[in-house]
Amino acid sequence: MKEERVALLDGIRGPRDLKALSPEQLARLADEIRTFLVESVAKTGGHLGPNLGVVELTIAMHRVFESPRDKILFDTGHQSYVHKIVTGRKDGFDRLRQADGLSGYPSRAESEHDVIENSHASTVLSWADGLAKAYQVRGQTDRHVVAVIGDGALTGGMAWEALNNIAAAKDRPVIIVVNDNERSYGPTQGGLADHLATLRTTRGYERFLEWGKGVLGRTPVVGGPVYDMLHGAKKGLKDAVAPQGLFEDLGLKYVGPIDGHDVEAVENALRRARGFGGPVIVHAITQKGKGYAHAVNDAADQFHAVGVINPETGLPVKKSGASWTSVFADEIVAVADEREDVVGITAAMLIPVGLHKFAAKYPERVFDVGIAEQHAVTSAAGLATGGLHPVVAVYATFLNRAFDQVLMDVALHRCGVTFVLDRAGVTGPDGASHNGMWDMSILQVVPGLRLAAPRDAAQVRAQVREAMDVDDAPTVVRFGKGAVGPDIEAVGRIDGMDVLRRTGPERNGGGEGGDVLIVTVGQMAETGIEVADRLADQGIAATVVDPRWVKPVPAGLAPLAARHRLVVTIEDNGRAGGVGAAIAQSMRDARVDVPLRDFGIPQEFLDHAERNEVLARIGLNAQDISRQVVEEIASKTAEADAEQHETTA
């Protein structure tokens, strides 16, 4: 029996192979896919729970529509593993999210069946609207666009902006599949979530109409008009009995709710939707983690994303040390114990950003606004204006979405809001969209904003508190992903900056000069120290400093730079407009004519791989940095010797 099942899954090389399967084979295939997902993702890590929940849904979509001519889009894209399997990429799962392996999101580079990478939620409906318009303009009216939106993505405001436009075109075929599993990471929050919950539990209107059509249809003369009258009473009867009127009042046809784990039911619904010839919502009820007891029973996030696990137990293969996030999670509770004015805000990521302990202890002081970063930031401005100190915890890469609100609502109004940016810098396996490499660049232009980059756990605790002491400007604390290393003790302090290392002839005398000044930002401190030690082996004296607060640039940095031959900055952020660029500008303003070499992330989208692999690929490691610094110093020494020779001659 096992060999037969393996043979069935191995026979799926593309969507057309699904169309020949019987209902019994489809059910068996769904079981095989779930087994394959658990076994393969357990070895690599990845988004397991969401994909276990969309197996039948994905099979049905590929049986009804003709990908890649019809476009199937996922929001968010971490729901696309099953799509990858049935479009011929099963054999690539042994290197999922690893260097040169499959992406954890759709990827145009991988397959013609993928359209958008889409790891930032709530964008798919705008993509679908644009694609459908393009096909209409080009006369390709037989092509369909299917937008799968789930895992809480419909809570984002951009999704509703798109719905408003999609509904305006009655003849444009856009099929919106709402994958309703009641979750994002945790349970979905907000009024829309309550509305969908009502739809899940209220089927009275459809049953009433079916009864009415049957009974009144057999009633001579008056039966038909009465049924038509009832069918048209949307604002009264319909909204009271079944609130799908919310969608239909927008002008969108609504099909559902249906069992998203019943392939036949999903197919029937999709065929109905396809036949309308206009925008339709298909509401499918699914279970995140379905078929894998460890995921279903995980109340926190139903195995939304896992590392390497034992598939038999669901437990991590090896335990990691304390994470940056966990350090913040503990400290924010300690602060909340002391200050009643502190509140937390999350955009549907309570656990991933470390606000879960705060929420457990003070539930009335933590607000989950759904996947709505823009709203989160402006709501925080309101909270601050009302006398509280809000802490907005969000992934660094997701703050990009709310830049205007940071600038115009928080900074302009001098609101004391603290932003805690998790997953800053190179994060690795989640790929280009999840590397937090833009925050320190885009925030440089915000007047009055202050930005801290802790180098270790002790500094996370200290700088979170320092940030929250500021009540007249936005403050930012950013840190990385994964396990935090050991604390790095300062060996001195210069004008408020921590000195982490002195090498060369100055190290014992406590001097503040030398060949190279190395300015490290955040978790790159360890790299900077290693660079200094490598330079010392070459006879080059170095001073390593951590400014702690990198915006604004500390006033003492330019005078310190003037006492060195070369300044080197090392940051886990894009080089364009980053901390290195800001320090260079501050040196120019102070008329300090010392050359500066800035080391950071190149302005390119970085493929998925482990963090250390990405850093090595872009040369942001101690070996490559020290080599370039040695070459720079050697070049300057040669120039100085040549000038001295000419002067002597």
Side-chain angles (χ1 to χ4, degrees):
M1 188 67 174
K2 187 174 182 180
E3 292 181 359
E4 182 183 13
R5 290 190 173 188
V6 171
L8 182 59
L9 179 55
D10 287 345
I12 306 300
R13 297 295 175 184
R16 290 186 179 181
D17 295 328
L18 297 172
K19 299 180 187 292
L21 299 181
S22 67
E24 293 77 15
Q25 288 175 314
L26 290 173
R28 204 169 77 218
L29 177 64
D31 289 340
E32 293 175 14
I33 289 175
R34 285 195 170 90
T35 299
F36 174 79
L37 282 171
V38 171
E39 292 177 350
S40 59
V41 176
K43 297 175 183 176
T44 62
H47 290 89
L48 182 57
N51 287 285
L52 292 171
V54 297
V55 176
E56 292 86 359
L57 193 64
T58 305
I59 290 172
M61 288 189 296
H62 276 291
R63 279 171 55 87
V64 172
F65 297 97
E66 301 289 339
S67 179
R69 178 166 178 77
D70 294 330
K71 299 301 183 185
I72 300 176
L73 319 176
F74 292 87
D75 189 349
T76 60
H78 62 235
Q79 302 176 90
S80 65
Y81 290 10
V82 184
H83 166 78
K84 288 175 183 272
I85 291 171
V86 301
T87 54
R89 285 170 276 177
K90 169 181 170 289
D91 293 341
F93 270 76
D94 60 335
R95 293 197 57 78
L96 177 69
R97 302 169 74 246
Q98 298 177 25
D100 303 319
L102 286 181
S103 168
Y105 298 92
S107 169
R108 291 181 180 180
E110 287 180 8
S111 173
E112 63 180 345
H113 295 280
D114 291 359
V115 183
I116 51 174
E117 187 268 0
N118 212 37
S119 62
H120 284 199
S122 310
T123 65
V124 73
L125 300 185
S126 297
W127 274 94
D129 179 56
L131 271 170
K133 287 173 179 173
Y135 294 151
Q136 186 177 60
V137 170
R138 297 177 65 186
Q140 298 173 340
T141 55
D142 60 334
R143 302 182 71 175
H144 294 84
V145 180
V146 184
V148 185
I149 185 165
D151 259 16
L154 200 56
T155 62
M158 186 175 172
W160 289 89
E161 294 174 25
L163 276 174
N164 187 49
N165 281 268
I166 289 170
K170 310 302 182 187
D171 59 345
R172 198 176 295 141
V174 176
I175 292 88
I176 301 167
V177 178
V178 178
N179 171 30
D180 181 7
N181 60 14
E182 307 180 61
R183 316 282 295 196
S184 48
Y185 282 83
T188 308
Q189 303 293 322
L192 177 64
D194 293 341
H195 180 82
L196 291 177
T198 305
L199 289 179
R200 281 192 294 273
T201 57
T202 307
R203 298 172 188 252
Y205 174 73
E206 297 299 333
R207 289 197 298 269
F208 179 82
L209 280 188
E210 287 301 314
W211 170 84
K213 187 174 184 179
V215 173
L216 295 176
R218 294 191 297 271
T219 304
V221 185
V222 297
V226 170
Y227 174 78
D228 290 341
M229 178 190 71
L230 290 175
H231 194 273
K234 282 198 301 186
K235 293 304 292 181
L237 172 69
K238 184 167 188 176
D239 283 353
V241 183
Q244 59 258 50
L246 169 67
F247 297 113
E248 294 187 347
D249 287 348
L250 282 172
L252 295 164
K253 293 188 180 299
Y254 174 91
V255 177
I258 57 170
D259 181 357
H261 299 301
D262 183 332
V263 174
E264 183 178 2
V266 177
E267 285 188 33
N268 289 337
L270 291 174
R271 289 193 178 97
R272 284 178 60 196
R274 185 181 62 185
F276 285 135
V280 188
I281 282 184
V282 177
H283 183 187
I285 310 300
T286 64
Q287 182 183 44
K288 196 168 185 174
K290 182 175 176 61
Y292 186 45
H294 298 300
V296 172
N297 296 331
D298 180 32
D301 65 3
Q302 296 189 292
F303 278 30
H304 178 84
V306 297
V308 178
I309 61 172
N310 181 330
E312 299 298 325
T313 65
L315 298 175
V317 170
K318 61 179 180 179
K319 295 182 179 180
S320 59
S323 68
W324 293 91
T325 309
S326 68
V327 174
F328 164 70
D330 291 335
E331 190 62 23
I332 190 63
V333 173
V335 174
D337 287 341
E338 301 167 13
R339 293 181 49 172
E340 294 182 354
D341 63 322
V342 172
V343 295
I345 302 178
T346 174
M349 303 177 79
L350 188 71
I351 296 173
V353 298
L355 285 178
H356 54 298
K357 293 182 178 181
F358 186 2
K361 191 167 187 179
Y362 300 107
E364 73 285 356
R365 290 165 59 186
V366 176
F367 307 98
D368 186 343
V369 301
I371 303 178
E373 291 85 359
Q374 292 173 303
H375 166 67
V377 173
T378 302
S379 177
L383 286 164
T385 301
L388 300 176
H389 192 106
V391 177
V392 181
V394 64
Y395 283 10
T397 183
F398 294 158
L399 187 70
N400 303 354
R401 313 183 77 180
F403 172 74
D404 182 68
Q405 287 69 32
V406 172
L407 180 67
M408 293 299 175
D409 294 325
V410 178
L412 177 63
H413 294 86
R414 299 183 180 180
C415 295
V417 176
T418 295
F419 297 93
V420 175
L421 306 187
D422 204 311
R423 272 70 162 178
V426 171
T427 54
D430 281 323
S433 63
H434 273 56
N435 289 315
M437 56 176 282
W438 296 282
D439 56 293
M440 290 198 293
S441 295
I442 64 175
L443 294 175
Q444 287 290 343
V445 304
V446 179
L449 181 141
R450 308 177 198 182
L451 193 153
R455 64 179 180 266
D456 56 27
Q459 291 301 309
V460 170
R461 290 187 283 267
Q463 292 182 276
V464 162
R465 288 177 176 271
E466 292 169 23
M468 296 174 64
D469 284 339
V470 178
D471 61 6
D472 61 351
T475 52
V476 178
V477 180
R478 56 109 68 180
F479 46 76
K481 176 184 179 181
V484 61
D487 287 348
I488 301 172
E489 297 292 337
V491 298
R493 178 160 283 205
I494 302 172
D495 295 329
M497 297 175 288
D498 282 350
V499 180
L500 305 183
R501 185 76 103 229
R502 291 190 183 96
T503 65
E506 307 292 343
R507 65 182 183 276
N508 294 321
E512 299 172 2
D515 294 315
V516 182
L517 172 64
I518 301 173
V519 183
T520 66
V521 179
Q523 62 183 320
M524 300 308 293
E526 187 175 350
T527 300
I529 291 171
E530 185 179 346
V531 169
D533 292 341
R534 285 172 176 264
L535 295 181
D537 292 340
Q538 302 294 319
I540 299 172
T543 305
V544 182
V545 297
D546 172 13
R548 301 182 71 253
W549 289 85
V550 296
K551 179 187 180 343
V553 175
L557 191 51
L560 179 60
R563 297 193 285 274
H564 292 77
R565 299 171 62 193
L566 176 68
V567 176
V568 170
T569 63
I570 308 175
E571 62 186 295
D572 201 3
N573 183 76
R575 292 178 63 204
V579 175
I583 291 174
Q585 180 176 319
S586 72
M587 289 169 58
R588 290 193 299 271
D589 291 345
R591 301 192 178 190
V592 173
D593 189 19
V594 174
L596 180 145
R597 287 292 306 272
D598 58 323
F599 292 93
I601 303 172
Q603 302 304 141
E604 60 188 53
F605 294 110
L606 305 174
D607 290 336
H608 54 278
E610 292 300 320
R611 173 179 160 83
N612 62 341
E613 293 177 308
V614 176
L615 293 177
R617 185 190 305 163
I618 63 177
L620 195 55
N621 55 14
Q623 180 178 349
D624 287 321
I625 294 172
S626 58
R627 174 181 52 79
Q628 294 185 56
V629 173
V630 168
E631 292 173 354
E632 186 86 13
I633 291 294
S635 174
K636 293 187 179 306
T637 300
E639 291 175 3
D641 289 345
E643 290 179 4
Q644 180 66 31
H645 178 73
E646 290 179 6
T647 302
T648 303

